[in-house]
């Protein structure tokens, strides 16, 4: 497995020392060579200097003889002046050169380069001393002559004669001494050169021998290191071929390392992964969102300022489903668990180690256990409901559930190809599903409520997608099957617990009548204005007074069913049912409510009106809690009691059954309706501002419209009021809405007995 090598200084200490010694030897040899070159150069300068002294001495003697032969010639003649000048210069040069040679002083050649002459040995000292002795005898006489040589007023013949005579005596001795000196210096330089060549040869031989030894040991160490690396590679390969998990390394460019476990190919379901980009391997097999999150996650792993434990909790590839995109049909989608760990080189993050496990079996087991746990919880929930609710209400719920499911099933079976027909099917199914959810929620059957809510989510999506097709409705069949299965389960449990309850109860046989004492509420007589209602085809009346606005919807005729009586226990059960229902919704919404009914009396309700009155009551109570009653904080700010009040009343006025639900909440905010219509793009801001209250109520009762911003179990999908409108129309009834902003909202439903 390729990793950034970690240099071990101790392991390479011997190699480093050997190289340092090798370089030291070469440096020493080079330094010695430079030194000997300088020494040879100085010896050469010494030889040149002795030769120069000898030549200058010959020139002095020659010039003296020339002056002696030319005596009497005009001293200002060019010849005499040239000879005198040369004699003077050579005399000074000989004096300084002998002193430099004798003492090892500094000289300057004709090119201006300076040299420090080496110290000469004893033999050379004797020769230079002998030469200097003869020169000291000659040089004063030459200086005496030169002092007045160019002065015609002073005779210099005697001085010249003495200098010439001394030169005859000293010249041979000076030349012999200088020749011997030159030979001594040359011999000394020759010996030193031989020594230098010997030392250089020995140094080169030593360096070459050391180099051979160094190469030998280095190659042996290299072979040992290669053997260790090969053994480690074999061990790594054996590990990689043996482990059952997928192991590989990722670099900063998200490329998979050259070595990885053999199991990785089977787990990922791809070959030739080495060197591949990790994102390319995952692309198309996980969602684009997860893929992008994975890239950002790995980038954070390479960020040294981010703690590894913190970023590990954000791992997007924890038990992720990897889809099969290969041609191998036998390879199914699998759940893989990727774990990422940092690999450090000293304190730097070098790579990311990835460990992949196929956890499909564990995930499927968890799902199966979760499903069984959910079924157990559901059965406990159902048992709790059966034991705490009147059997008649349970049987009524079962019958209504089966009826709703049958209606939805029939709606799905009905042919429909145009968008108008498909939208009609969607609205009809939405109403039935919402009614079923309301009854289940009232009985605290959360399993029913959850399935119905999931179905509503799909219906809500279909409602907003625009174009519909028949295939869009196919997934709803699964939800209907789940609801029917739950209905059968609760029916079976109920039969086992309460054998006296009938196995299958029809709504007309098992339903309990809703009985409440209706408070005497008089509706003020107002002027009636007829207007068309495009959604339902019914007529609409608008009634207004000083304090509020009210609206009524009329409908069609229907048959009169038989009426039944309820005993006091049934009345108490029904009232408790609605009180609990209202309080449950209030708890979920963070509110406090109290449902009131003045008293319970024997109200004879036609059999065919029992079910619609109950469904409408459920929708109106939920609507009052969700949309009407404010939170305790809001109510306090408006000087209201923290506990909101909902009045639920039913009365028989002879020819009609009247249902009234009133809350002391915030009322209908028509400006809020205008804002929502404009926000959803149904109208422009200017058009929405021109809509009257009558038009705004039409939209409030339309399918899919809600002033609630967020959807939840209790509202926000815009179906509750649509159900009420549809039920009122189906039973040829009237709907009156009376609201005062910030104070109250009252719904009055009038359903004719005949």
């Amino acid at each position: 497995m390729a990793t950034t090598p970690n240099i071990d200084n101790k392991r390479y200490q011997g190699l480093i020392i050997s190289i340092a010694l090798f370089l030291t030897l070469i440096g020493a040899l080079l330094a010695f060579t430079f030194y000997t070159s300088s020494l040879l150069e100085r010896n050469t300068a010494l030889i040149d200097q002795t030769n120069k002294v000898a030549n200058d001495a010959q020139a002095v003697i020659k010039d003296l003889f020339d002056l002696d032969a030319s005596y009497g010639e005009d001293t200002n003649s060019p010849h005499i002046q040239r000879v005198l000048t040369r004699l003077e210069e050579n005399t000074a040069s000989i004096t300084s050169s002998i002193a430099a040679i004798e003492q090892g002083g500094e000289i300057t050649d004709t090119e201006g380069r300076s040299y420090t002459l080496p110290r000469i040995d004893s033999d050379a000292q004797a020769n230079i001393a002998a030469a200097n002795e003869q020169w000291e005898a000659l040089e004063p006489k030459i200086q005496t002559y030169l002092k007045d040589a160019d002065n015609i007023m002073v005779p210099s013949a005697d001085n010249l004669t003495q200098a010439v005579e001394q030169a005859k005596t000293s010249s041979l001795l000076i030349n012999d001494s200088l020749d011997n000196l030159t030979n001594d210096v040359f011999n000394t330089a020759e010996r030193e050169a031989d020594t230098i060549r010997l030392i250089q040869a020995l140094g080169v031989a030593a360096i070459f021998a050391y180099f051979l030894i160094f190469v030998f040991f280095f190659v042996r160490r290299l072979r040992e290191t290669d053997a260790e690396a090969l053994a480690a590679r074999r061990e790594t390969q054996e590990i990689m071929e043996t482990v059952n998990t997928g192991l590989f390394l990722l670099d900063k460019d998200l490329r998979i390392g050259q070595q990885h476990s053999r199991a990785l190919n089977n787990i990922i379901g791809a070959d030739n992964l080495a060197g591949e980009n990790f994102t390319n391997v995952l692309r198309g097999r996980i969602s684009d969102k997860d893929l992008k999150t994975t890239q950002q996650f790995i980038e954070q792993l390479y960020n040294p300022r981010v703690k590894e434990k913190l970023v590990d909790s954000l791992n997007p590839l924890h038990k992720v489903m990897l889809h099969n995109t290969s041609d191998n049909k036998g390879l199914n989608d699998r759940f893989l668990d990727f774990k990422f760990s940092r690999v450090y080189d000293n304190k730097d993050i070098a790579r990311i180690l990835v460990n992949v496990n196929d956890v499909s079996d564990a995930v499927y087991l968890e799902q199966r256990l979760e499903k069984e746990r959910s079924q157990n919880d559901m059965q406990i929930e159902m048992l709790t409901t059966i034991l705490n609710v009147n059997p008649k209400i349970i049987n009524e719920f079962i019958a209504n559930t089966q009826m709703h499911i049958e209606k939805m099933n029939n709606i799905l079976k009905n042919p429909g190809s145009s968008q108008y027909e498909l939208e009609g099917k969607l609205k009809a199914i939405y109403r039935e599903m919402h009614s079923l959810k309301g009854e289940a929620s009232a009985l605290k059957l959360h399993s029913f409520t959850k399935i119905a809510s999931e179905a509503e989510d799909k219906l809500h999506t279909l409602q907003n997608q625009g174009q519909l097709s028949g295939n869009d409705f196919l997934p709803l069949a699964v939800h209907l099957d789940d609801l029917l299965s739950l209905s059968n389960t609760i029916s079976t449990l109920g039969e086992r617990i309460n054998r006296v309850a009938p196995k299958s109860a029809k709504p007309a046989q098992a339903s309990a009548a809703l009985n409440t004492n209706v408070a005497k509420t008089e509706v003020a007589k107002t002027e009636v204005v007829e207007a068309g209602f495009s959604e339902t085809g019914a007529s609409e009346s608008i009634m207004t007074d000083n304090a509020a606005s009210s609206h009524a919807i009329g409908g069609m005729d229907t048959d009169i069913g038989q009426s039944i009586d309820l005993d006091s226990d049934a009345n108490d059960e029904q009232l408790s049912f609605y009180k609990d229902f209202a309080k449950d919704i209030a708890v979920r919404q963070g509110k406090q409510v109290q449902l009131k009914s003045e008293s319970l009396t024997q109200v004879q309700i036609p059999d065919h009106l029992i079910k619609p009155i109950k469904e409408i009551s459920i929708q109106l109570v939920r609507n009052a809690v969700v949309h009407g009653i404010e939170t305790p904080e809001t109510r306090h700010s408006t000087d209201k009691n923290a506990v909101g009040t909902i009045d639920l009343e039913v009365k028989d006025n002879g020819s009609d059954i009247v249902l009234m639900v009133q809350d002391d909440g915030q009322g209908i905010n028509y400006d809020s309706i205008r804002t929502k219509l404009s926000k959803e793009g149904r109208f422009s801001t200017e058009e929405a501002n021109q809509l009257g209250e009558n038009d705004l109520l039409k939209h409030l009762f339309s399918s899919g419209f809600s002033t609630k911003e967020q959807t939840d179990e209790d509202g926000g999908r815009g179906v509750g009021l649509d159900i009420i409108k549809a039920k009122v129309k189906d039973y040829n009834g009237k709907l009156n809405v009376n609201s005062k902003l910030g104070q109250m909202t009252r719904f009055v439903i009038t359903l004719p007995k005949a």
Side-chain angles (χ1 to χ4, degrees), residues 186-308:
F186 182 80
N187 292 332
T188 302
E190 188 71 22
R191 289 194 301 270
E192 289 179 351
D194 292 340
T195 303
I196 291 171
R197 283 193 292 270
L198 177 61
I199 293 175
Q200 286 178 335
L202 292 176
V204 171
I207 291 173
F208 184 72
Y210 187 87
F211 176 76
L212 292 178
I213 296 172
F214 170 77
V215 170
F216 172 76
F217 282 102
F218 177 76
V219 170
R220 189 175 72 172
R221 176 61 63 85
L222 186 62
R223 291 179 63 183
E224 292 175 354
T225 304
D226 289 342
E228 293 175 0
L230 180 60
R233 191 178 298 112
R234 286 176 179 173
E235 292 177 359
T236 303
Q237 187 174 2
E238 290 174 357
I239 294 173
M240 289 299 187
E241 291 178 353
T242 305
V243 295
N244 296 323
T245 61
L247 292 175
F248 63 93
L249 288 169
L250 276 181
D251 60 16
K252 287 187 177 180
D253 297 327
L254 301 184
R255 294 198 175 276
I256 299 175
Q258 293 299 319
Q259 295 190 38
H260 57 77
S261 62
R262 177 181 293 180
L264 181 65
N265 298 95
N266 295 328
I267 293 174
I268 299 294
D271 297 326
N272 302 322
L273 292 173
E276 287 293 323
N277 191 285
F278 187 51
T279 55
N280 293 336
V281 174
L282 296 180
R283 182 169 286 110
R285 308 186 69 181
I286 62 175
S287 66
D288 293 339
K289 180 180 178 182
D290 286 342
L291 186 62
K292 184 177 180 180
T293 306
T294 300
Q295 291 176 309
Q296 297 172 346
F297 170 75
I298 296 176
E299 289 176 1
Q300 291 304 314
L301 280 175
Y302 271 104
N303 186 352
R305 292 177 295 180
V306 178
K307 293 184 178 180
E308 186 173 359

Side-chain angles (χ1 to χ4, degrees), residues 538-553:
S539 62
E540 176 179 83
S541 301
I542 303 176
M543 299 180 290
T544 59
D545 55 21
N546 295 333
S549 62
S550 60
H551 305 265
I553 303 173

Side-chain angles (χ1 to χ4, degrees), residues 393 396 439 577-578 610-618:
I393 296 179
E396 178 184 309
E439 294 185 41
F577 170 84
Y578 286 109
I610 295 176
K611 183 178 182 299
I613 288 177
K614 183 177 182 180
E615 289 186 11
I616 293 173
S617 300
I618 289 175

